[in-house]
Amino acid sequence: MISDILRTFRVNGDGRIVLVVTGGLGDTILFSPVFRGARRAMPQAEVKLVTASPLVQELYSSAPEIDRIEIIDTNRKLSPALYLRLWRCGARCRRGNGTDIMVCASRLSPWLIRLFKVVCRPRNFISPPLPVDQLNDLEVNVALSRRLAPDISTKDAFAPVTAEASARVQ
């Protein structure tokens, strides 16, 4: 099924992917192979990252795999404000032609996954392979990203570094 979806996108050359990881920076780094898998599978697609951490936004804003980043603080208790933020995110995801593919991080809570699926209404949802209990988070996310691009490995986990920071280290 996923291969049929990707074939359609490769022919059309566009699309919209929403990636959801609501943990902190470490969870996002472990989820980063999915960024690369999405970009390799659909190079012309708009890739949007939904995260709960401003630090993630600061770090990944320069990553070529991500086109847009949206912060939704899901770490607080359930509140009307959280639901409002999620509905606004969903409305932005549905604009234009809507969301073609949504991928959620492996350890995202089931209620939050259901909520994102309801508000964003993706045409396709890619879930982690089962059983996830026998794999660590990075292995689960690599297996998830292989559904988009089979050549992804654990080496595709990354934290972007600016050219200035790289020059200072050398």
Side-chain angles (χ1 to χ4, degrees):
M1 178 176 161
I2 296 300
S3 60
D4 295 336
I5 296 165
L6 295 176
R7 224 175 282 117
T8 302
F9 286 119
R10 287 188 185 114
V11 169
N12 294 340
D14 59 357
R16 189 180 301 172
I17 304 172
V18 174
L19 308 174
V20 181
V21 57
T22 59
L25 185 56
D27 290 336
T28 304
I29 292 170
L30 294 176
F31 190 64
S32 62
V34 178
F35 306 166
R36 291 216 164 130
R39 182 57 70 200
R40 285 182 192 166
M42 299 168 27
Q44 301 303 317
E46 176 189 8
V47 179
K48 176 180 181 178
L49 174 64
V50 177
T51 183
S53 170
L55 184 57
V56 168
Q57 181 182 33
E58 186 177 326
L59 184 63
Y60 283 92
S61 64
S62 64
E65 292 83 358
I66 305 295
D67 296 311
R68 291 185 324 161
I69 299 176
E70 183 164 346
I71 298 176
I72 298 179
D73 188 357
T74 56
N75 295 321
R76 295 185 185 168
K77 291 183 180 180
L78 290 179
S79 68
L82 172 60
Y83 286 113
L84 181 62
R85 288 190 300 272
L86 284 170
W87 283 110
R88 286 181 182 156
C89 174
R92 286 187 290 273
C93 289
R94 290 189 306 267
R95 282 189 192 139
N97 291 330
T99 298
D100 297 302
I101 296 177
M102 176 177 276
V103 184
C104 291
S106 61
R107 304 285 186 212
L108 197 60
S109 72
W111 75 267
L112 205 55
I113 290 173
R114 280 192 296 273
L115 200 53
F116 271 108
K117 285 169 79 173
V118 166
V119 299
C120 292
R121 295 184 207 152
R123 288 182 194 86
N124 303 285
F125 179 78
I126 300 177
S127 58
L130 296 174
V132 295
D133 297 336
Q134 297 173 357
L135 303 171
N136 66 42
D137 285 346
L138 180 58
E139 291 168 334
V140 170
N141 289 322
V142 166
L144 183 61
S145 65
R146 284 185 180 151
R147 292 183 171 189
L148 294 165
D151 62 335
I152 297 292
S153 72
T154 55
K155 294 177 184 172
D156 286 299
F158 72 100
V161 178
T162 64
E164 299 89 30
S166 180
R168 280 184 291 196
V169 171
Q170 295 172 358

